[in-house]
Amino acid sequence: MGGVTSSMAAKFAFFPPNPPSYKLVKDEATGISVLDPFPHRENVDVLRIPTRRGNEIVAVYVRNPMATSTLLYSHGNAADIGQMYDYSGYGQSSGKPSEQNTYADIEAAYKCLEESYGAKQENIILYGQSVGSGPTVDLASRLPRLRAVVLHSPILSGLRVMYPVKRTYWFDIYKNIDKISMVKSPVLIIHGTNDDVVNCSHGKQLWELCQEKYEPLWVKGGNHCDLELYPEYIRHVKKFISTVEKTPSRRNGSRRSTDGIEQLRQSTDHYEPPRRSMDQRDKPRRSTDTREKPRKSTDTREKPRKSTDRPPRLKFHEYTKFNSIDKLEKLKVSLDHMERMERSRRSVEYHDKSSRSNDQQLEKGRKSVDWLDRIRAD
């Protein structure tokens, strides 16, 4: 049943261009792979990467010696090759498009960046557009040290694009709504307000669920596939990348400054001079105290304390005076209350005694009557 629903979802979710927009050929002179009809460039590598599900995907790696970050781009459902790699069943990649295949595809591309090009997790930015947000969020939820994540016109889930369901069903695909909270990297979300394919509410709800939110970009009037044409798109993406590239260095700097024992010692040494200067200020006080030595050398320090303590003592006496009056008043009230209670108790006891005496008299009368009755009977 799961395979049937998955294949049905794939028919609705994936629309690979047919025929593909390029051909993969080998240059006869150099023996390297190139994308036809695009011209070959020295800083571009065209690769075939095997995946754990037995497919082979086509990927493109663009070198930039000045770059400090590496972007792993996952394209939308109706495009191919993008800026990085094609999904299984797209372009010249083998296999068929499916949710699980795209997860294996992005893992293979990420592994290639690490093993073949020496990219580190801390320097990689994942960028997912539309359906590409699915494999992007899935991988980002399992890589806690990524530099950043960009979600371009993302989806909450595959089913939610077609129906506004309130819960996640087992047969749904790309459950970004359930995974986004596990992404620990800074997340930038970009969405057009006039998106007629994936409603802008998808992007806004995902942004609310992010752990580390970055200022989102809601492109006013933007649709699903034209956000790159708006000037604010480039400005905002540049600002985001510049921010996340600076943030790790600041964090590392703060960690180093707090972790270094010698730096801690130096920082405490820097705080010592103010203490010494305060001690020097105390010396004049001691010199003024020496003038009091003819009176009592041992009491010189105590006398200022006595002078400063006099007002509190007066206040204390006044307080105790009024406090004792309050206590006396309260005591008087409590005594009056106890006296009333005692009177009532005595009255109750007197009533009890009188009732007891009456009972005793009645008992005596009853006994005397019984005695008379016995005499008459005899």
Side-chain angles (χ1 to χ4, degrees):
M1 185 66 179
V4 175
T5 54
S6 179
S7 61
M8 290 178 63
K11 291 180 180 180
F12 288 105
F14 304 107
F15 302 96
N18 189 18
S21 64
Y22 67 94
K23 293 180 181 179
L24 187 64
V25 297
K26 277 194 175 183
D27 185 271
E28 294 181 357
T30 60
I32 61 175
S33 298
V34 294
L35 299 179
D36 184 44
F38 307 106
H40 172 66
R41 292 189 295 175
E42 292 296 330
N43 65 327
V44 176
D45 293 341
V46 179
L47 312 166
R48 277 190 174 273
I49 305 173
T51 74
R52 58 179 171 80
R53 292 177 66 85
N55 298 320
E56 198 173 54
I57 62 173
V58 177
V60 173
Y61 181 80
V62 181
R63 291 187 181 85
N64 182 358
M66 302 300 293
T68 57
S69 299
T70 302
L71 186 73
L72 177 54
Y73 178 84
S74 300
H75 59 72
N77 67 342
D80 57 19
I81 204 59
Q83 280 83 8
M84 181 58 201
Y85 71 99
D86 261 346
Y87 308 129
S88 298
Y90 275 71
Q92 300 299 327
S93 298
S94 65
K96 295 181 179 181
S98 70
E99 179 190 16
Q100 296 303 320
N101 276 343
T102 59
Y103 293 157
D105 298 339
I106 193 172
E107 287 175 9
Y110 175 81
K111 186 178 179 181
C112 176
L113 289 177
E114 281 193 322
E115 296 180 355
S116 301
Y117 295 97
K120 296 181 180 180
Q121 183 180 153
E122 294 82 1
N123 298 329
I124 293 178
I125 299 174
L126 301 186
Y127 191 119
Q129 181 173 359
S130 188
V131 165
S133 64
T136 296
V137 172
D138 181 77
L139 182 62
S141 66
R142 294 180 281 119
L143 297 176
R145 300 191 308 277
L146 286 171
R147 172 158 286 180
V149 175
V150 180
L151 300 179
H152 180 141
S153 304
I155 63 174
L156 287 168
S157 71
L159 187 60
R160 286 176 172 84
V161 176
M162 298 180 289
Y163 305 103
V165 294
K166 300 298 182 182
R167 52 170 293 187
T168 300
Y169 293 91
W170 61 272
F171 54 84
D172 200 354
I173 64 173
Y174 296 131
K175 306 177 184 70
N176 292 339
I177 188 173
D178 299 329
K179 298 177 183 178
I180 190 66
S181 60
M182 295 183 285
V183 177
K184 297 182 179 179
S185 311
V187 179
L188 166 63
I189 295 183
I190 307 169
H191 217 118
T193 58
N194 290 354
D195 195 323
D196 57 3
V197 178
V198 180
N199 191 274
C200 189
S201 61
H202 286 242
K204 291 182 177 180
Q205 192 169 345
L206 287 174
W207 184 80
E208 291 291 341
L209 296 172
C210 291
Q211 275 194 37
E212 192 168 346
K213 300 178 179 67
Y214 185 82
E215 180 186 358
L217 176 61
W218 313 126
V219 182
K220 188 175 181 180
N223 209 316
H224 192 66
C225 298
D226 63 352
L227 301 186
E228 301 90 340
L229 303 178
Y230 289 81
E232 58 265 36
Y233 166 81
I234 295 295
R235 287 198 300 266
H236 205 78
V237 172
K238 283 184 176 180
K239 180 183 175 183
F240 174 67
I241 293 176
S242 176
T243 301
V244 296
E245 285 181 342
K246 291 177 181 177
T247 303
S249 61
R250 290 177 182 176
R251 289 177 180 173
N252 293 336
S254 62
R255 287 175 184 173
R256 289 172 184 173
S257 63
T258 53
D259 292 340
I261 297 175
E262 292 299 324
Q263 289 182 0
L264 283 174
R265 289 177 180 175
Q266 290 175 2
S267 64
T268 54
D269 291 342
H270 286 302
Y271 284 104
E272 285 301 323
R275 293 180 184 175
R276 291 173 183 174
S277 62
M278 290 174 66
D279 294 340
Q280 290 174 357
R281 291 178 184 177
D282 290 338
K283 287 180 180 180
R285 293 181 183 177
R286 293 177 182 175
S287 62
T288 54
D289 293 338
T290 53
R291 295 177 184 178
E292 300 294 330
K293 284 183 180 179
R295 296 180 183 177
K296 282 187 180 181
S297 60
T298 57
D299 296 336
T300 52
R301 295 181 182 178
E302 296 298 329
K303 286 183 178 180
R305 293 181 184 177
K306 290 180 181 179
S307 61
T308 55
D309 293 340
R310 284 176 185 174
R313 286 182 183 178
L314 291 174
K315 291 181 180 179
F316 177 76
H317 288 307
E318 291 175 359
Y319 170 76
T320 52
K321 179 180 178 181
F322 290 113
N323 193 25
S324 60
I325 293 173
D326 284 341
K327 288 182 178 179
L328 287 173
E329 291 293 335
K330 291 179 181 179
L331 181 60
K332 190 180 295 184
V333 171
S334 62
L335 287 174
D336 292 340
H337 179 69
M338 291 174 64
E339 189 176 355
R340 287 195 298 270
M341 292 291 291
E342 182 66 20
R343 288 175 183 174
S344 60
R345 186 182 63 79
R346 288 177 182 176
S347 62
V348 171
E349 289 180 355
Y350 176 77
H351 177 71
D352 291 339
K353 287 180 181 180
S354 61
S355 60
R356 287 174 188 172
S357 62
N358 291 334
D359 292 339
Q360 289 176 357
Q361 290 177 1
L362 288 172
E363 183 65 23
K364 288 179 180 180
R366 188 181 62 79
K367 289 180 179 180
S368 61
V369 171
D370 292 341
W371 182 71
L372 290 173
D373 290 337
R374 285 197 298 270
I375 291 176
R376 288 174 184 174
D378 296 337

